[in-house]
Amino acid sequence: MSKYAYYPGCSIKGSAKQYEESLFAICKPLGIELQELPDWNCCGATMYVSVDEKISFALSARNLAMAEETGMDLVAPCSACYVVLKKTQDYIQKYPEIRANVDKALTAAEMVYRGTVRVRHPLEVLIHDVGIEKIRETAKQPLKSFKIACYYGCQIVRPYQEFDHPCYPETMDDMFRTLGAETVDWAFKTRCCGGSLTGTIEEVGLRLNYILIKEAQRKGANCIVTICPLCQFNLEAYQHKILKKYRDFSEMPILYFTQIIGLGFGIAPEKLGIKRSIISPKKIIEQLAAQPEPEQVQIPISS
Amino acid sequence: MHIQREVKYQSDLSPDFAEWITSVPGGEHIKECIQCGTCSGICPMSIYMDVTPRRLMAMTNAGFKKEVLSSFTIWLCASCYSCSVNCPKEIKLTDVMYALKRRAIEEGIQPHPKFAIPILARAFFDTVKKYGRISESMLVVKLALKSGITMLLGMAPLGLKLMRTGRMAYGQDKIKNRKQIKKMFNALEAKA
């Protein structure tokens, strides 16, 4: 059993509940235990640093300090949280002035951060710590009916290019192919979904997401798979509005990578939060069940 | 007939502003900008911007303070870091944009008083300061109250869908140790 400290972030407790459900569901068979940081605070996303730099890094350091106490690596499933935590670590090291401010704030809160925490994204934990081999061994159900457009979004691969290419990443594609799904080759793997802009200037956000869905469909995908709560929300929750406006594509389910892996592991859809989808992937999943098991296809050779 | 000068004299510019930007994290290399346009080409938002990122870099370097800080561009940056990882001169444009946003707030400059993005940033900031966490639904309500209530009506069908799928968080999420956050704010807000 490998243990990690877990930083959920605000979205996962709200609109991205199915991400957490499926993440925990797949951790079990892989022997991973996630321990939620008690009393974590908001990472600040892209908003905090737009208003006050000093306090934004200090607040983020509070989470890091709590994680450091556990002695474990810190897993952050939301891309915004992931990048903010990583950036805080990077800037504390690079800029003595930021370090001084962070220390000042932490001291006032009777906390210390020495700078030893490793911040991880679940995708990277699966690739590096668990490994493709183990995922292949755990898989029970080949995902033959899935034609996936892997959508990495921006912040998990940029600016900290820890485990994949910043513009054309491939780790998620590899993993789904291992699980028997087809993945489509498309150019928009890391093209921005607009983030919070979809909520503030909807016109622009709708178009950004329209471009993504349209292109995924043109390339033959039957679903888009994301790793970030904000990408998932923008692509799914606004999809009916996008359809009304642009019309030249059809409804497309938007799932989390953890949900897909869970299906591959043979975990029941109810345990993966599939029911929380606004755009149901039911059809693709039903086709999955309709497929004969590989053993049954083999023609017995009579002796 | 009123004839107005379109071109700025050098004396109209702010050399201090151009100097300041090199001191912010990520802005160290901004003076080395070769105006290649990689940033504008790769930016998914540039077609909506009033000033493209390349142009904004040149204007910042030249000290066009007022024009830069009142541009929509700095707020339209969605922070996707495409420009930052592709800039041949390693200018961290995303961080420069953040610094410009902060400066604009500090100087009280906004492209438009009802422009939602800075309002959301402020609402977000205040919520975390008070509670330590945000709740998406409460944030939307706050934004609507300040940027126009009609927006809330437009969001209603979406809210219903989230409720139906159990993805709506009700009420305001809070951390337990809010005193700790308060102490941190006090420590940083106190004059050294």
Side-chain angles (χ1 to χ4, degrees), chain B residues 105-133:
Chain B
I105 289 180
E106 230 171 78
E107 310 232 351
I109 303 173
Q110 268 183 30
H112 187 275
K114 286 219 159 174
F115 189 44
I117 303 171
I119 298 176
L120 178 67
R122 193 75 230 179
F124 197 105
F125 183 87
D126 293 339
T127 310
V128 179
K129 183 174 181 177
K130 205 163 168 194
Y131 302 110
R133 284 186 198 168

Side-chain angles (χ1 to χ4, degrees), chain A residues 250-274:
Chain A
S250 50
E251 254 190 5
M252 197 167 193
I254 315 290
L255 296 161
Y256 285 104
F257 76 111
T258 41
Q259 292 179 302
I260 301 284
I261 297 170
L263 290 171
F265 286 179
I267 300 171
E270 304 83 71
K271 289 190 177 153
L272 298 168
I274 298 282

Side-chain angles (χ1 to χ4, degrees), chain A residues 10-18 36-42 44-55 58-59 62 66 83 87 91 95 98 101-102 104-106 108-111 154-155 157-159 161 166-167 190-192 194-197 199-204 207-208 232-233 236-238 240-241 256 275-278, chain B residues 24-28 42-45 47-48 75-86 92 94-95 98-99 101-103 105 115-118 120-122 124-129 132-136 143 151 154-155 157-158 161-162 164-169 173-178 180-181 183-185 187-192:
Chain A
C10 305
S11 302
I12 263 203
K13 298 291 178 191
S15 62
K17 274 186 192 140
Q18 72 271 43
E36 184 169 330
L37 280 186
D39 215 33
W40 53 270
N41 58 266
C42 168
T46 57
M47 294 296 168
Y48 236 75
V49 72
S50 307
V51 179
D52 188 325
E53 187 184 38
K54 277 192 217 166
I55 194 71
L59 282 172
R62 179 176 176 272
M66 288 189 292
V83 93
K87 193 173 187 173
Y91 277 23
Y95 302 102
I98 292 178
N101 274 318
V102 164
K104 194 161 126 193
L106 286 179
E110 291 165 48
M111 295 180 105
C154 49
Q155 300 198 332
V157 282
R158 295 191 295 256
Q161 303 150 43
C167 298
T190 61
R191 197 180 195 274
C192 180
S196 62
L197 294 184
T200 44
I201 31 173
E202 200 172 273
E203 288 288 305
V204 174
R207 183 156 180 92
L208 287 174
Q232 201 279 342
F233 188 82
E236 192 191 35
Y238 287 95
H240 288 140
K241 262 193 188 168
Y256 285 104
K275 276 212 177 121
R276 296 195 192 277
S277 301
I278 293 170
Chain B
V24 304
E28 297 89 344
I42 208 161
C43 176
M45 296 302 296
I47 54 166
Y48 302 103
W75 294 103
L76 286 174
C77 168
S79 187
C80 81
Y81 295 93
S82 279
C83 49
S84 293
V85 297
N86 284 290
K92 306 290 175 215
T94 311
D95 292 326
Y98 277 131
K101 288 176 200 179
R102 292 194 295 268
R103 184 73 188 258
I105 289 180
F115 189 44
I117 303 171
L120 178 67
R122 193 75 230 179
F124 197 105
F125 183 87
D126 293 339
T127 310
V128 179
K129 183 174 181 177
R133 284 186 198 168
I134 58 144
S135 297
E136 296 155 326
L143 179 65
M151 177 213 157
M155 297 290 284
L158 184 59
K161 278 177 202 156
L162 290 175
R164 230 185 10 242
T165 52
R167 287 162 67 180
M168 176 85 94
D173 198 6
K174 302 170 190 169
I175 66 166
K176 287 193 203 90
N177 204 341
R178 290 192 294 280
Q180 213 169 28
I181 301 261
K183 279 180 192 162
M184 291 170 78
F185 267 92
L188 291 180
E189 278 165 359
K191 296 242 159 62

